Amino acid sequence: NAGVTQTPKFRILKIGQSMTLQCTQDMNHNYMYWYRQDPGMGLKLIYYSVGAGITDKGEVPNGYNVSRSTTEDFPLRLELAAPSQTSVYFCASSYGSGGAGTQYFGPGTRLLVL
Amino acid sequence: LAKTTQPISMDSYEGQEVNITCSHNNIATNDYITWYQQFPSQGPRFIIQGYKTKVTNEVASLFIPADRKSSTLSLPRVSLSDTAVYYCLVGDRLGYGGSQGNLIFGKGTKLSVKP
């Protein structure tokens, strides 16, 4: 049982490039989330999904897109990367919903946009 | 959206009890309060969750007063391995489409435990 896995662990992007951050969970959780964490700050919700085929915006969705074609996978797409997207990205999943559920986090993807 | 406020940092010594308070004045009726622990270069890890009154598990207690405008995480007899950042999360169930996610993490409290 690997829990929540994320790839890559670290990536450097040039301004304007695009990339997809991968997230997979093997706990059969319906709920999945993407957060970003800037240095010394808390986590901010980017997008979330309540089940396959259903996604919705969080607090800071601009510049990102998501899809949820399966229960296990929840990729985050960055289009036209900007320096402001330099951050650590965490994916999480939970059985219970949102604030009422226990979220299990992945190890994070560190992204540097230059 | 409920905004949370926590002390930026706290210091303690091994064996002491540590209490970290989170203020959430705008908490909504359906919001739960959850605390997470984060070590450097790792994702947060669930500690405890509550709605009202007191909740206790094997690692911590959570005290929530009747007005629910604050909550206190209590760590009994801390050790060096409890040195981490502790986050208070306030949020409710997320709905299907059309509703904005409202999971608000605070900036966290950096706890340093000294020998």
Side-chain angles (χ1 to χ4, degrees):
Chain A
N1 192 336
V4 179
T5 57
Q6 294 182 237
T7 57
K9 291 184 179 180
F10 176 65
R11 180 79 180 266
I12 299 175
L13 278 184
K14 294 183 179 179
I15 295 173
Q17 287 185 322
S18 300
M19 77 165 293
T20 299
L21 282 66
Q22 301 292 344
C23 175
T24 300
Q25 54 94 6
D26 62 0
M27 296 173 283
N28 202 32
H29 287 165
N30 284 333
Y31 294 82
M32 295 189 74
Y33 319 82
W34 273 106
Y35 293 91
R36 60 175 288 172
Q37 184 175 35
D38 298 330
M41 304 294 287
L43 288 81
K44 293 188 176 181
L45 184 65
I46 305 172
Y47 270 95
Y48 67 95
S49 170
V50 301
I54 305 170
T55 63
D56 207 348
K57 298 177 181 179
E59 185 183 359
V60 289
N62 292 341
Y64 307 94
N65 279 301
V66 293
S67 60
R68 183 95 180 271
S69 58
T70 67
T71 298
E72 295 78 21
D73 301 307
F74 190 40
L76 177 71
R77 178 79 176 166
L78 277 72
E79 305 282 1
L80 300 174
S84 61
Q85 293 179 305
T86 292
S87 190
V88 179
Y89 292 84
F90 289 102
C91 178
S93 72
S94 68
Y95 179 73
S97 64
T102 299
Q103 295 185 50
Y104 294 83
F105 285 81
T109 293
R110 185 173 168 229
L111 177 65
L112 181 60
V113 182
L114 299 174
Chain B
L1 300 179
K3 181 178 179 180
T4 61
T5 304
Q6 304 173 230
I8 294 174
S9 63
M10 295 182 68
D11 291 331
S12 183
Y13 290 93
E14 281 190 295
Q16 289 187 332
E17 179 184 72
V18 171
N19 296 310
I20 306 174
T21 297
C22 179
S23 173
H24 28 80
N25 292 320
N26 295 326
I27 190 169
T29 302
N30 295 328
D31 284 344
Y32 286 76
I33 301 156
T34 312
W35 285 81
Y36 288 85
Q37 176 192 55
Q38 186 178 30
F39 297 111
S41 302
Q42 294 186 21
R45 185 177 69 173
F46 172 87
I47 301 174
I48 196 166
Q49 182 182 81
Y51 182 78
K52 61 181 179 180
T53 65
K54 177 183 175 181
V55 179
T56 298
N57 62 22
E58 62 275 10
V59 298
S61 294
L62 178 59
F63 298 92
I64 304 170
D67 65 7
R68 304 200 329 123
K69 292 184 182 299
S70 67
S71 58
T72 299
L73 172 72
S74 181
L75 304 172
R77 299 180 298 281
V78 295
S79 64
L80 296 177
S81 62
D82 292 317
T83 294
V85 179
Y86 292 82
Y87 290 98
C88 165
L89 168 65
V90 174
D92 69 2
R93 300 178 183 276
L94 297 174
Y96 287 87
S99 63
Q100 182 141 24
N102 58 348
L103 299 179
I104 306 296
F105 275 85
K107 293 184 179 181
T109 298
K110 186 175 182 180
L111 173 64
S112 297
V113 180
K114 303 174 183 178

